[in-house]
Amino acid sequence: MLEELNVRNYALIDNLSVSFEGGLNILTGETGAGKSIIVGALSFLLGAKAETSVIRTGSEEASVSAVVSIREDNRDALDWLASRDIAAEDGRIIVRRNIKTSGRSSIYIQDAPLSRNDLEQCMGLLFDLHGQHSHESLLHKEIHRKYLDRFAGLENEAAQFNGIFLNLADKKRTLETSAANERDRDARLEILRYAIEEIDKAAVKNGESRELEAESKRLASFEKLAGQVNSAAAALFEDEPSVLSLTRRVRTAMDNAAAIDGELSAMQQRTENLYYEAEDLAEEFRSYRDALRYEPGRLEEVEERLALLYRLRKKYGGAASGSGIEEDGILAYRNAAEAEIDALSNAGENRGKLGAEIALLEKDLAGRASALGAKRRSAAAKLGDRISTILKSLGMPNARFEVGVNNRGQSAEPQKTSMVIGPWGAEDVEFLISANAGEPLKDLSRIASGGELSRVMLAIKTALTGEHTGAVSDSKRISDSQETLVFDEIDTGIGGEVALAVGDYLRKIGGIKQIFCVTHLASIAVRADNHLRVEKKTGGGRTTTVISVLSADTLRGEIARMLAGDAGGAAALAHADELLKKYKK
């Protein structure tokens, strides 16, 4: 349940903080006051895509946060959080999302950073938002199956079925690929074996090209190198005076001076260290110079080896860097080739095992499809009757609603039925309706009235909660996990007695769910458990959207405004009092 919503710098909202209650929360206000902005901010928090255009002019970022409580029996939401090491505190989580003018966004549940997809998944287990046009989702048949499965409590079973179906499809693709590869197996094996032989013959060692490049550079400039080495050796220890002889003289002089003046002992130690360092350097340099040899033909050998490594890299992979060619790609190719040879050599045996696995999965899937289909057909009749009953109370007395569950296909032989299994079962689910007496059942897309679609959506939601029965225990038994339902202007295209019926049903659903409803109809607004008014205010040259919870006195004026456009008129107030007395709890 949404307990608190905080919005900053979102569209016309400067800084808004509001608390909500359970039951039916009604949002009203003049057209353009910003009711859709409140719903938009909530939608943003639930994971909807957002553009930087929602950031209030003059601000660097927009942010929305909320305190959300989770029922102990909402295992779907609690398990989702636990799988990501997120713990609710006292049954509550804090959700935060912001977007900057740069387009960068951050999302947190508690202190855990999440992706937008994660946010959408989690909030989808807690909220169900229907915007001004979202009832049009009813026109998409894939949603019909989801609603039926939710009503029948088959969501987990359908998800398991889908997982097996996808696994089966993956194994079939693997088998098909294996069969296709068989035709080219011999040619492929020959290529792979030649590659391994060529790499092994070259005795490639990772990193050797770096060493060879350094040697190539040294050999190519050997004469210049030798000259510089000899010059350095002369200065270091051959000439007179040399660096070594000079440091020896300095050391001796400092030893004698320090014996006279103790203040020179520190410098004497440093000159002694200098002498030993010069002596070590001279010894190492003698060894280097003595080992320096020019081998005729070695440069050619090095360059040929480098050329070979380069060709192998071009053929089998590797990475060029500023310090040379890496051989790890060549060696990785060799290992992969060896593994592929092993797989191809055992392809026949593997295909046999894969075929057996596929046969078992197909049998399992067929059994599951049959069982799932039977449960759906049984539940479809109940759901159709339940929605038809609700629609009659929502101003559609002659409506007839049916949930069609049809086989996905038939065989060419009329006497036999072939099971055609899809990702979610062996049948298609479609909602059909006859809105008027004497009219045949048609798919929902043939409904012209937006008001009728809104009522169908409300009837489905009511049926899913079971609240129309008036039995709380029954409603809890079949209720979906979403604890909060949001309806943005569900009153589109309705009025009169129909509006009263819609209000009655919203209040009934509010008995077990938290409901948010944006409405322009007073006959719906008077059913609110918590009534909030959205207004625009101007100050300092800026327009701001604000929201306030109405008291008993201010509620009269708001209902009067909705009835007659006059919040202070005596007739409108009298009418408002009459509605509040009749329909307010």
Side-chain angles (χ1 to χ4, degrees), residues 178 185 339-352:
S178 177
R185 186 176 68 90
E340 188 176 350
I341 287 173
D342 183 61
L344 290 174
S345 299
N346 298 311
E349 181 181 351
N350 292 338
R351 281 199 306 277

Side-chain angles (χ1 to χ4, degrees), residues 80-91:
W80 190 96
L81 292 170
S83 69
R84 289 157 177 80
D85 295 324
I86 301 173
E89 295 184 9
D90 297 325

Side-chain angles (χ1 to χ4, degrees), residues 123-168:
M123 294 298 98
L125 299 172
L126 298 167
F127 293 84
D128 190 5
L129 188 151
H130 296 276
Q132 296 181 39
H133 305 290
S134 65
H135 57 267
E136 294 173 4
S137 66
L138 278 177
L139 304 182
H140 303 295
K141 294 179 182 178
E142 60 268 21
I143 204 72
H144 300 173
R145 192 270 311 161
K146 293 182 180 179
Y147 280 138
L148 176 59
D149 285 349
R150 184 182 300 175
F151 174 79
L154 296 173
E155 288 178 300
N156 289 337
E157 190 172 336
Q160 290 174 2
F161 181 94
N162 180 251
I164 295 171
F165 179 90
L166 295 176
N167 185 28
L168 175 61

Side-chain angles (χ1 to χ4, degrees), residues 290-402:
D290 291 345
L292 194 62
R293 296 285 186 275
Y294 182 76
E295 300 178 30
R298 176 56 183 166
L299 179 59
E300 185 178 354
E301 292 176 6
V302 170
E303 290 177 344
E304 287 180 356
R305 180 64 177 176
L306 282 171
L308 173 61
L309 293 173
Y310 179 77
R311 287 197 302 272
L312 292 176
R313 185 187 71 83
K314 292 287 286 183
K315 289 179 69 174
Y316 303 121
S321 67
S323 58
I325 301 170
E326 300 291 346
E327 288 72 50
D328 55 353
I330 302 171
L331 297 172
Y333 182 92
R334 188 234 179 262
N335 294 335
E338 193 169 53
E340 188 176 350
I341 287 173
D342 183 61
L344 290 174
S345 299
N346 298 311
E349 181 181 351
N350 292 338
R351 281 199 306 277
K353 291 180 180 178
L354 194 57
E357 292 174 8
I358 288 172
L360 287 174
L361 284 175
E362 286 178 333
K363 183 178 180 180
D364 180 34
L365 204 63
R368 289 175 179 267
S370 180
L372 196 57
K375 293 175 184 177
R376 281 173 175 160
R377 287 182 174 84
S378 176
K382 296 176 183 177
L383 180 59
D385 291 343
R386 189 166 291 183
I387 293 175
S388 295
T389 300
I390 297 170
L391 288 174
K392 287 177 172 58
S393 300
L394 291 175
M396 299 176 69
N398 298 312
R400 183 162 55 96
F401 193 93
E402 184 175 300

Side-chain angles (χ1 to χ4, degrees), residues 445-483:
S445 64
R446 303 287 293 276
I447 295 180
S449 167
E452 288 179 340
L453 272 178
S454 294
R455 279 177 280 173
V456 170
M457 174 63 81
L458 181 57
I460 290 172
K461 281 297 170 185
T462 305
L464 290 177
T465 63
E467 179 55 25
H468 74 288
T469 64
V472 174
S473 59
D474 179 52
S475 66
K476 286 184 177 180
R477 178 176 60 82
I478 63 173
S479 173
D480 52 341
S481 66
Q482 294 158 325
E483 303 177 30

